[in-house]
């Protein structure tokens, strides 16, 4: 699935992912390829994006997550760095 992560300043991540876990306003949500259309507000926590063999992690707060046509768009009010937890 395609994943696009956007902050107010720039595109933080764009690429293919095997799965992701995001902090929704009411708990964590997991997204796999071919997920049904979905939209939620983001809370505060860690966004984990699993690529081929590695996991990218970002601290996010506020914004929203949208899934449409095997594409996940995450627009966050605040995004902190990235760490690679291979």
């Amino acid at each position: 699935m395609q994943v696009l992560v956007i902050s107010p300043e720039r595109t933080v991540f764009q690429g293919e992912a095997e799965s992701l876990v995001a902090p929704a306003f009411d708990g964590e949500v997991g997204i796999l390829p071919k997920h049904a259309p979905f939209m939620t507000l983001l809370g505060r926590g860690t966004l984990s994006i699993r690529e081929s063999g590695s996991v990218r992690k970002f601290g996010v707060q506020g914004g929203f997550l949208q899934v449409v046509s095997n594409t996940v768009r995450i627009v966050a009010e605040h995004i902190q760095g990235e760490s690679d937890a291979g």
Side-chain angles (χ1 to χ4, degrees):
M1 70 186 161
Q2 278 291 318
V3 176
L4 179 63
V5 181
I6 302 170
S7 77
E9 295 82 28
R10 64 187 176 93
T11 298
V12 176
F13 176 84
Q14 183 172 5
E16 285 287 322
E18 297 171 358
S19 65
L20 70 83
V21 176
F25 74 99
D26 60 351
E28 289 190 332
V29 61
I31 307 291
L32 295 171
K34 300 182 182 176
H35 194 286
F38 177 73
M39 187 164 192
T40 189
L41 295 174
L42 291 176
R44 179 182 201 166
T46 302
L47 167 65
S48 300
I49 302 171
R50 179 170 298 282
E51 298 179 280
S52 55
S54 66
V55 177
R56 293 178 184 253
K57 294 187 178 191
F58 304 91
V60 297
Q61 180 178 350
F64 68 90
L65 177 148
Q66 176 192 48
V67 182
V68 177
S69 300
N70 211 35
T71 299
V72 181
R73 288 179 188 84
I74 296 167
V75 179
E77 294 172 9
H78 303 284
I79 299 179
Q80 294 180 343
E82 175 192 343
S83 62
D84 192 19

